[in-house]
Amino acid sequence: IYGLLNYPNDDQNALNFAVAASCLKHTIYGDANLVTVEEVEKLMSGMQAEEYQDKMVDDRRSLCSTVDG
């Protein structure tokens, strides 16, 4: 839905957004998709999924240490 609303004249980008968001969702435990639009768009831009997942884990660890610290 997000892709359709934000790429109204570009069906391919809307589909790419949905696929990238779905791929990232499969890396998260539970029912909710907790990734950000920025994270989805980075994956859409062509970053390798493994490279992206490593970066996402590092970013989340950094955020958690800030919250815990």
Side-chain angles (χ1 to χ4, degrees):
I1 294 173
Y2 179 90
L4 291 172
L5 294 174
N6 287 282
Y7 303 104
N9 298 319
D10 190 347
D11 291 343
Q12 186 61 56
N13 262 341
L15 178 62
N16 291 348
F17 188 92
V19 170
S22 296
C23 289
L24 291 174
K25 168 55 187 104
H26 286 290
T27 68
I28 299 171
Y29 180 78
D31 293 332
N33 193 344
L34 303 175
V35 299
T36 66
V37 170
E38 179 183 74
E39 291 170 330
V40 175
E41 288 175 343
K42 283 182 186 176
L43 184 57
M44 286 173 62
S45 72
M47 185 180 283
Q48 295 293 326
E50 185 176 294
E51 173 189 347
Y52 181 78
Q53 187 175 20
D54 291 344
K55 182 186 178 328
M56 190 169 71
V57 167
D58 290 344
D59 288 351
R60 290 183 191 265
R61 282 187 185 142
S62 176
L63 177 62
C64 289
S65 67
T66 302
V67 171
D68 292 340

